[in-house]
Amino acid sequence: MTTLDVTHAESQPLVAAIDLGSNSFHMIVARQDHNEIRPVERLGEKVQLAAGIDEQGLLTDEAMERGLTCLRKFAEYIDGMASENIRIVGTNALRKARNSDTFVRLAEQELGHPIDIIAGREEARLIYLGVAQTYSDDNDRRLVVDIGGGSTEFIIGQRFEPQLLESLHMGCVSYTHQFFPNGNLSEKRFREAYYSARMELMNIEKNYRSEGWVEAIGSSGSIKSVHGILAEKGIDRITRDGLKQIKRDVLQFRKVERVHFPGLKPERAAIFPAGLAILTAAFDSLDIDSMDYSDGALREGVLYDLVGRQSHEDVRERTISALMTRYHVDEEQARRVSKHATLLFQQVADDWKLNEQDLKLLQGAALLHEIGLDISHIQFHRHGAYIIRNSDLLGFSSREQQQLAMLVRGHRRTLPLQSLYQLPRAEFTRLLRLMILLRLAILLNQIRTDRLPEIELQVKDRQMLLQFPESWLDKRSLTKTNIEHEREYLQRAGYKLKYI
């Protein structure tokens, strides 16, 4: 690399991804250089969040403190970085714990940035993206398997596009507690873990086998450990025979914490037998002959996805487009509303302190506001919200998905104030203002025409002034009546709308 190239690279802003996994927390900090991601720092720490979920489904204080202690270290590395250059995701343990919102609130205070709890299939998509970046850009179909602390993801894809995505409820930490209580290890307990995994895999076995693949790739700690043990034996790929050898050697131990091999990190010993049982079951269920290992994983996928969003390669746009097609949305009207919602947003963004991510959310809601019509015209805003809330929306975090559903729910009729009141104050204010912009854009486009004049919106806190060209509104009694009705709805929310 030339001196000029080095100077250019060092001048690029840092980007960071943090993965709050069920077993370990990981962080990667990198620079984007000529469309490549160049890591400058990697940190990882075993937190075992999943092990800290009690019988009531609650994260214990001890587990939360382990996580926060780790995040205080991570916070030093991202201090001062712009929010748009950081993404933090939570996985199975935070999806599962009933009090995860408490931990997330404390963690966000430590990091100074929001945390997205992602759905299982979104986790699978990001894992695939992270793995695909480490392989050649060919057309061979590949199977990716990632055994985490609380879930295991299975993905079939080509190049950078996943085609089948599944997240199963089995992980090396959760299976350790379920099948190896008190650290006891025996052939019977291993067999129970294996068959439990086989039962889980029955849900996907037929589809995955029929889809097929050319190469199988594993990622993350459990598969890395198996690969490392076999490498010490001079075996460069994971095979069925290799797994049988390791199983035979593992069962020589009576306690999981005493398991030790060259190539196995001591801190992974206790959860290794459970991970081995899951991987063995995957090989048998899906008829995998051999598997390579990739250093790419969720955190790398999050990083590449973040950079993709910044360079207009946002998977969320494809997700919205697919929903529009599936539910037969009137695309012309949807894009008409999105266009005018954008124009209104641009006029008030500074005064209402709205940002680029808010605009993306508003545009998505504008494009999807009529999807409920495919079910029924009656209460279609509620049907639309239900569809969004309960679909697998690739690219969206759980929080983004709920916010999108809330906007669609509130795009007509009475504002859903009771639901909005349940949100933190800042989020309540932001979503309500986006909802108002969406409602106004829909109101202005009710006659479904492209012949709208320039309309100006001015705001000052909760005071709003909508300005039309002279005498334009006088000739449109329907629009004027609808604005009067909207004034009443907004007044109940504490906003005053005037128009001239």
Side-chain angles (χ1 to χ4, degrees):
M1 183 180 288
T2 67
T3 302
L4 184 60
D5 289 335
V6 171
T7 303
H8 169 78
E10 290 180 349
S11 69
Q12 300 305 300
L14 292 171
V15 290
I18 297 177
D19 158 22
L20 308 183
S22 298
N23 182 50
S24 302
F25 286 3
H26 291 274
M27 179 178 73
I28 178 171
V29 180
R31 291 189 191 277
Q32 185 181 6
D33 180 28
H34 296 98
N35 297 318
E36 293 185 5
I37 297 296
R38 298 187 180 278
V40 298
E41 190 66 65
R42 293 179 184 268
L43 292 177
E45 190 165 315
K46 184 178 176 182
V47 173
Q48 287 206 308
L49 211 57
I53 299 178
D54 63 21
E55 294 179 356
Q56 286 73 46
L58 300 172
L59 281 170
T60 63
D61 291 342
E62 293 79 10
M64 286 197 274
E65 185 52 39
R66 289 198 302 270
L68 295 173
T69 298
C70 172
L71 294 181
R72 290 184 190 110
K73 301 172 187 175
F74 288 3
E76 296 180 31
Y77 286 85
I78 62 174
D79 183 39
M81 288 180 62
S83 291
E84 61 268 22
N85 292 334
I86 299 172
R87 191 171 184 211
I88 307 161
V89 300
T91 59
N92 185 266
L94 292 176
R95 291 195 292 266
K96 181 179 176 182
R98 290 169 50 206
N99 61 338
S100 61
D101 55 337
T102 300
F103 175 78
V104 167
R105 185 176 64 255
L106 294 170
E108 288 178 339
Q109 291 174 1
E110 294 289 350
L111 294 168
H113 297 278
I115 294 171
D116 295 330
I117 299 178
I118 55 176
R121 288 187 177 180
E122 172 64 1
E123 181 178 353
R125 181 187 74 85
L126 292 170
I127 287 168
Y128 180 81
L129 182 58
V131 170
Q133 295 290 342
T134 67
Y135 276 75
S136 59
D137 187 10
D138 55 38
N139 286 317
D140 288 342
R141 185 174 293 161
R142 56 176 67 102
L143 167 72
V144 173
V145 180
D146 185 291
I147 301 173
S151 63
T152 298
E153 281 65 48
F154 296 86
I155 312 98
I156 292 178
Q158 285 180 283
R159 302 185 68 193
F160 302 112
E161 294 296 328
Q163 296 165 343
L164 285 181
L165 296 161
E166 289 295 345
S167 178
L168 302 184
H169 296 293
M170 54 187 190
C172 57
V173 175
S174 59
Y175 264 38
T176 296
H177 286 268
Q178 184 176 351
F179 297 105
F180 304 100
N182 302 314
N184 295 321
L185 177 59
S186 67
E187 185 170 358
K188 178 176 180 292
R189 294 178 187 278
F190 187 93
R191 187 167 58 248
E192 289 174 347
Y194 168 85
Y195 280 112
S196 176
R198 286 297 300 268
M199 289 293 290
E200 286 286 332
L201 281 155
M202 284 180 65
N203 297 315
I204 70 169
E205 184 176 309
K206 182 178 180 180
N207 283 347
Y208 274 63
R209 281 193 177 199
S210 62
E211 188 75 15
W213 57 85
V214 173
E215 58 183 346
I217 305 164
S219 63
S220 292
S222 289
I223 296 177
K224 181 179 182 179
S225 296
V226 171
H227 182 264
I229 292 169
L230 291 175
E232 289 289 333
K233 298 175 181 288
I235 304 170
D236 61 357
R237 292 172 64 85
I238 301 172
T239 63
R240 291 192 186 192
D241 287 341
L243 290 175
K244 288 177 182 177
Q245 289 180 34
I246 296 174
K247 174 190 171 183
R248 184 179 62 246
D249 294 340
V250 162
L251 293 178
Q252 301 301 310
F253 300 93
R254 300 273 69 86
K255 289 285 187 178
V256 294
E257 63 269 17
R258 294 177 184 169
V259 173
H260 63 87
F261 300 102
L264 175 65
K265 293 182 178 180
E267 61 269 23
R268 292 203 66 89
I271 57 175
F272 180 72
L276 179 64
I278 293 170
L279 184 59
T280 303
F283 262 67
D284 292 345
S285 179
L286 301 180
D287 196 23
I288 302 170
D289 293 321
S290 63
M291 177 179 285
D292 284 327
Y293 168 74
S294 168
D295 281 323
L298 175 61
R299 53 199 170 277
E300 287 81 12
V302 171
L303 200 61
Y304 277 100
D305 192 61
L306 174 66
V307 171
R309 291 183 180 191
Q310 294 173 345
S311 59
H312 308 293
E313 298 174 4
D314 195 339
V315 70
R316 292 174 296 183
E317 295 174 3
R318 297 203 301 272
T319 297
I320 288 172
S321 180
L323 271 182
M324 292 171 68
T325 300
R326 186 183 310 161
Y327 292 99
H328 309 100
V329 168
D330 180 342
E331 289 195 21
E332 287 189 9
Q333 175 66 0
R335 301 199 183 283
R336 203 178 284 127
V337 171
S338 178
K339 172 187 172 182
H340 286 95
T342 301
L343 292 173
L344 294 175
F345 178 96
Q346 292 169 342
Q347 295 178 56
V348 304
D350 290 340
D351 291 300
W352 273 356
K353 295 180 173 57
L354 301 172
N355 59 35
E356 188 67 24
Q357 291 306 311
D358 297 326
L359 176 58
K360 289 282 189 182
L361 187 64
L362 175 62
Q363 290 170 333
L367 292 171
L368 295 176
H369 76 279
E370 288 189 337
I371 63 171
L373 284 172
D374 208 45
I375 297 176
S376 172
H377 190 278
I378 299 173
Q379 301 287 315
F380 74 87
H381 55 303
R382 293 179 183 271
H383 297 313
Y386 178 87
I387 291 169
I388 293 169
R389 191 177 294 115
N390 293 282
S391 297
D392 285 323
L393 301 189
L394 298 184
F396 289 87
S397 67
S398 298
R399 185 187 313 198
E400 289 172 330
Q401 190 165 338
Q402 297 309 311
Q403 290 174 344
L404 189 61
M406 181 73 76
L407 289 181
V408 170
R409 161 65 181 84
H411 85 261
R412 66 193 291 266
R413 303 278 180 88
T414 304
L415 287 156
L417 295 176
Q418 289 303 315
S419 297
L420 287 168
Y421 287 146
Q422 307 303 314
L423 302 173
R425 184 172 182 80
E427 187 176 353
F428 159 76
T429 301
R430 184 174 63 89
L431 276 185
L432 178 56
R433 289 174 172 176
L434 292 177
M435 198 175 289
I436 290 170
L437 296 176
L438 176 62
R439 291 168 69 96
L440 291 176
I442 293 169
L443 184 155
L444 295 171
N445 285 278
Q446 281 184 326
I447 56 174
R448 298 176 181 256
T449 177
D450 291 318
R451 297 190 300 274
L452 272 180
E454 289 188 12
I455 298 166
E456 184 177 348
L457 176 62
Q458 297 178 13
V459 299
K460 186 176 182 181
D461 195 17
R462 298 186 181 190
Q463 307 292 322
M464 306 170 61
L465 176 63
L466 200 56
Q467 293 182 275
F468 296 90
E470 187 176 354
S471 75
W472 184 85
L473 201 57
D474 295 334
K475 302 174 185 177
R476 290 160 178 82
S477 58
L478 176 61
T479 301
K480 191 171 184 178
T481 299
N482 289 335
I483 292 175
E484 282 295 332
H485 289 157
E486 188 63 19
R487 285 181 64 183
E488 295 175 11
Y489 286 130
L490 297 185
Q491 192 164 354
R492 295 172 198 167
Y495 283 75
K496 293 184 178 180
L497 174 64
K498 295 182 180 180
Y499 62 93
I500 56 175

